[in-house]
Tab-separated table of all heavy atoms in Angstrom:
chain	number	residue	atom	x	y	z
O	1	SER	N	75.156	92.347	82.757
O	1	SER	CA	74.398	93.550	83.064
O	1	SER	C	75.148	94.789	82.561
O	1	SER	O	76.387	94.850	82.605
O	1	SER	CB	74.185	93.655	84.576
O	1	SER	OG	73.706	94.926	84.924
O	2	ILE	N	74.409	95.780	82.079
O	2	ILE	CA	75.010	97.026	81.600
O	2	ILE	C	75.740	97.744	82.734
O	2	ILE	O	76.758	98.383	82.526
O	2	ILE	CB	73.955	97.943	80.943
O	2	ILE	CG1	74.634	99.045	80.136
O	2	ILE	CG2	73.076	98.611	81.933
O	2	ILE	CD1	74.619	98.816	78.691
O	3	ILE	N	75.253	97.616	83.963
O	3	ILE	CA	75.912	98.211	85.136
O	3	ILE	C	77.284	97.570	85.331
O	3	ILE	O	78.269	98.257	85.617
O	3	ILE	CB	75.047	98.010	86.404
O	3	ILE	CG1	73.672	98.605	86.213
O	3	ILE	CG2	75.748	98.549	87.634
O	3	ILE	CD1	73.569	100.088	86.371
O	4	ASP	N	77.372	96.257	85.155
O	4	ASP	CA	78.659	95.563	85.289
O	4	ASP	C	79.656	96.068	84.245
O	4	ASP	O	80.840	96.226	84.532
O	4	ASP	CB	78.471	94.044	85.146
O	4	ASP	CG	77.671	93.450	86.305
O	4	ASP	OD1	77.625	94.101	87.375
O	4	ASP	OD2	77.100	92.352	86.124
O	5	VAL	N	79.191	96.326	83.028
O	5	VAL	CA	80.064	96.832	81.959
O	5	VAL	C	80.610	98.200	82.343
O	5	VAL	O	81.811	98.471	82.200
O	5	VAL	CB	79.305	96.889	80.609
O	5	VAL	CG1	80.120	97.624	79.563
O	5	VAL	CG2	78.947	95.493	80.143
O	6	ILE	N	79.758	99.071	82.880
O	6	ILE	CA	80.196	100.408	83.283
O	6	ILE	C	81.216	100.319	84.412
O	6	ILE	O	82.241	100.999	84.395
O	6	ILE	CB	78.975	101.267	83.689
O	6	ILE	CG1	78.119	101.558	82.456
O	6	ILE	CG2	79.411	102.569	84.358
O	6	ILE	CD1	76.793	102.222	82.760
O	7	VAL	N	80.977	99.456	85.397
O	7	VAL	CA	81.923	99.290	86.510
O	7	VAL	C	83.266	98.782	85.993
O	7	VAL	O	84.329	99.264	86.394
O	7	VAL	CB	81.343	98.343	87.591
O	7	VAL	CG1	82.401	97.945	88.602
O	7	VAL	CG2	80.156	98.992	88.279
O	8	ILE	N	83.253	97.828	85.085
O	8	ILE	CA	84.507	97.289	84.518
O	8	ILE	C	85.260	98.379	83.770
O	8	ILE	O	86.491	98.499	83.902
O	8	ILE	CB	84.206	96.071	83.614
O	8	ILE	CG1	83.741	94.894	84.474
O	8	ILE	CG2	85.426	95.685	82.791
O	8	ILE	CD1	83.187	93.722	83.679
O	9	LEU	N	84.547	99.211	83.001
O	9	LEU	CA	85.204	100.303	82.266
O	9	LEU	C	85.822	101.326	83.220
O	9	LEU	O	86.945	101.783	82.996
O	9	LEU	CB	84.203	100.985	81.334
O	9	LEU	CG	83.839	100.214	80.067
O	9	LEU	CD1	82.750	100.951	79.309
O	9	LEU	CD2	85.049	99.988	79.199
O	10	VAL	N	85.118	101.680	84.301
O	10	VAL	CA	85.652	102.644	85.267
O	10	VAL	C	86.907	102.086	85.938
O	10	VAL	O	87.908	102.778	86.087
O	10	VAL	CB	84.575	103.020	86.319
O	10	VAL	CG1	85.183	103.773	87.491
O	10	VAL	CG2	83.467	103.838	85.674
O	11	VAL	N	86.882	100.832	86.321
O	11	VAL	CA	88.051	100.213	86.947
O	11	VAL	C	89.222	100.181	85.967
O	11	VAL	O	90.368	100.464	86.330
O	11	VAL	CB	87.704	98.794	87.474
O	11	VAL	CG1	88.958	98.041	87.875
O	11	VAL	CG2	86.742	98.890	88.648
O	12	ALA	N	88.964	99.880	84.709
O	12	ALA	CA	90.028	99.838	83.696
O	12	ALA	C	90.636	101.226	83.490
O	12	ALA	O	91.867	101.367	83.388
O	12	ALA	CB	89.479	99.286	82.379
O	13	VAL	N	89.808	102.265	83.439
O	13	VAL	CA	90.319	103.628	83.256
O	13	VAL	C	91.154	104.047	84.461
O	13	VAL	O	92.221	104.642	84.308
O	13	VAL	CB	89.144	104.613	83.011
O	13	VAL	CG1	89.595	106.051	83.132
O	13	VAL	CG2	88.511	104.367	81.652
O	14	LEU	N	90.701	103.737	85.676
O	14	LEU	CA	91.474	104.064	86.876
O	14	LEU	C	92.815	103.332	86.890
O	14	LEU	O	93.843	103.908	87.251
O	14	LEU	CB	90.676	103.734	88.132
O	14	LEU	CG	89.511	104.677	88.446
O	14	LEU	CD1	88.713	104.155	89.638
O	14	LEU	CD2	90.025	106.072	88.734
O	15	ALA	N	92.811	102.071	86.514
O	15	ALA	CA	94.061	101.305	86.477
O	15	ALA	C	95.024	101.905	85.455
O	15	ALA	O	96.225	102.032	85.714
O	15	ALA	CB	93.770	99.837	86.159
O	16	LEU	N	94.504	102.309	84.295
O	16	LEU	CA	95.347	102.920	83.270
O	16	LEU	C	95.901	104.256	83.764
O	16	LEU	O	97.080	104.561	83.549
O	16	LEU	CB	94.544	103.125	81.981
O	16	LEU	CG	95.314	103.752	80.829
O	16	LEU	CD1	96.445	102.832	80.375
O	16	LEU	CD2	94.379	104.060	79.680
O	17	ALA	N	95.085	105.055	84.443
O	17	ALA	CA	95.550	106.338	84.965
O	17	ALA	C	96.662	106.158	85.993
O	17	ALA	O	97.649	106.885	85.992
O	17	ALA	CB	94.376	107.102	85.582
O	18	ILE	N	96.512	105.172	86.868
O	18	ILE	CA	97.552	104.905	87.872
O	18	ILE	C	98.830	104.439	87.196
O	18	ILE	O	99.933	104.852	87.559
O	18	ILE	CB	97.051	103.873	88.904
O	18	ILE	CG1	95.961	104.503	89.764
O	18	ILE	CG2	98.186	103.343	89.768
O	18	ILE	CD1	95.225	103.527	90.665
O	19	TYR	N	98.729	103.614	86.187
O	19	TYR	CA	99.906	103.141	85.461
O	19	TYR	C	100.617	104.304	84.778
O	19	TYR	O	101.837	104.438	84.882
O	19	TYR	CB	99.505	102.076	84.428
O	19	TYR	CG	100.645	101.675	83.532
O	19	TYR	CD1	101.641	100.832	83.986
O	19	TYR	CD2	100.732	102.173	82.244
O	19	TYR	CE1	102.706	100.481	83.174
O	19	TYR	CE2	101.788	101.832	81.418
O	19	TYR	CZ	102.777	100.986	81.887
O	19	TYR	OH	103.824	100.651	81.074
O	20	VAL	N	99.870	105.156	84.070
O	20	VAL	CA	100.475	106.286	83.356
O	20	VAL	C	101.122	107.252	84.332
O	20	VAL	O	102.218	107.746	84.094
O	20	VAL	CB	99.417	106.999	82.479
O	20	VAL	CG1	99.938	108.324	81.953
O	20	VAL	CG2	98.990	106.106	81.333
O	21	LYS	N	100.472	107.538	85.450
O	21	LYS	CA	101.050	108.433	86.454
O	21	LYS	C	102.364	107.878	86.996
O	21	LYS	O	103.311	108.618	87.234
O	21	LYS	CB	100.069	108.676	87.589
O	21	LYS	CG	100.594	109.660	88.615
O	21	LYS	CD	99.543	109.964	89.641
O	21	LYS	CE	100.098	110.715	90.804
O	21	LYS	NZ	100.283	112.092	90.654
O	22	GLY	N	102.436	106.584	87.187
O	22	GLY	CA	103.662	105.957	87.676
O	22	GLY	C	104.800	106.001	86.667
O	22	GLY	O	105.964	105.977	87.035
O	23	GLN	N	104.479	106.095	85.389
O	23	GLN	CA	105.497	106.121	84.342
O	23	GLN	C	106.015	107.526	84.044
O	23	GLN	O	107.049	107.676	83.423
O	23	GLN	CB	104.929	105.521	83.048
O	23	GLN	CG	104.535	104.072	83.173
O	23	GLN	CD	105.701	103.182	83.581
O	23	GLN	OE1	106.807	103.330	83.076
O	23	GLN	NE2	105.456	102.281	84.514
O	24	MET	N	105.288	108.552	84.481
O	24	MET	CA	105.694	109.934	84.195
O	24	MET	C	106.886	110.318	85.062
O	24	MET	O	106.976	109.927	86.217
O	24	MET	CB	104.525	110.885	84.447
O	24	MET	CG	103.384	110.699	83.481
O	24	MET	SD	101.981	111.722	83.854
O	24	MET	CE	102.660	113.336	83.572
O	25	PRO	N	107.805	111.140	84.515
O	25	PRO	CA	108.944	111.588	85.327
O	25	PRO	C	108.467	112.506	86.449
O	25	PRO	O	107.577	113.316	86.264
O	25	PRO	CB	109.818	112.355	84.327
O	25	PRO	CG	108.913	112.723	83.212
O	25	PRO	CD	107.844	111.666	83.174
């Protein structure tokens, strides 16, 4: 479903943001 694709993309972006924030000094 296209809705599932959007949910997966949002979760991936949030996970990437949390990872990058954790790596910043």
Side-chain angles (χ1 to χ4, degrees):
S1 168
I2 195 103
I3 303 281
D4 293 338
V5 170
I6 292 171
V7 169
I8 290 170
L9 285 175
V10 168
V11 169
V13 167
L14 287 174
L16 180 64
I18 291 170
Y19 173 77
V20 169
K21 183 175 169 80
Q23 297 301 317
M24 293 176 65

